[in-house]
Amino acid sequence: SDADAVFRGVPATRLTRQAACAIVRKWATVAGIREHLSPHVLRHSCATHMLVHGADLRVVQELLGHSSVRTTQVYTRVDNDLLAETYRASHPRALVTR
C-alpha cells in the first residue's frame, strides 16, 4: 500500500520511478553536478562504497533486494590501485623485500 512506501509524494501516495528520477536530476543540477545522475547511479554508488569499505556481499545483496548474489557481484569490481594496496597490506609475500 502507499502507506508502506519509503518515499511518498503529494498527496501521500507512492512516489513513482519517474518522479524520483526528476527529483534527483533537479537537485543534481542545483548542486552543479554535470554528470548523468539518477536514482540507479546513487544506488550503484552506495553499494560499491559499502563493499569497498568492508560490507559483506550477502548483506548488500539483501539491502538491494537481489534474489541472486550473482546480480550483486557486479558491484564488486575493484580498481587496480585498491587491489594492489590491499595485497601489499595483507599478503605475507608482499612484505618480503628483494
Side-chain angles (χ1 to χ4, degrees):
S1 74
D2 290 341
D4 296 335
V6 174
F7 300 106
R8 298 190 316 185
V10 178
T13 57
R14 186 174 299 271
L15 194 65
T16 66
R17 180 181 58 80
Q18 293 86 352
C21 195
I23 291 168
V24 168
R25 287 193 178 136
K26 172 190 171 187
W27 288 106
T29 301
V30 169
I33 299 170
R34 297 189 193 287
E35 294 84 14
H36 171 73
L37 193 61
S38 67
H40 180 75
V41 170
L42 295 175
R43 173 184 165 93
H44 186 90
S45 297
C46 180
T48 301
H49 287 294
M50 289 175 64
L51 289 167
V52 165
H53 292 287
D56 183 82
L57 182 64
R58 299 294 240 167
V59 171
V60 175
Q61 173 192 0
E62 189 71 25
L63 288 171
L64 295 176
H66 292 159
S67 57
S68 168
V69 75
R70 292 183 64 130
T71 306
T72 313
Q73 286 176 328
V74 169
Y75 299 96
T76 62
R77 283 184 253 146
V78 182
D79 70 63
N80 289 332
D81 291 338
L82 178 61
L83 191 60
E85 177 184 328
T86 303
Y87 172 78
R88 283 190 300 273
S90 60
H91 196 279
R93 295 211 183 242
L95 302 176
V96 176
T97 56
R98 296 178 192 240

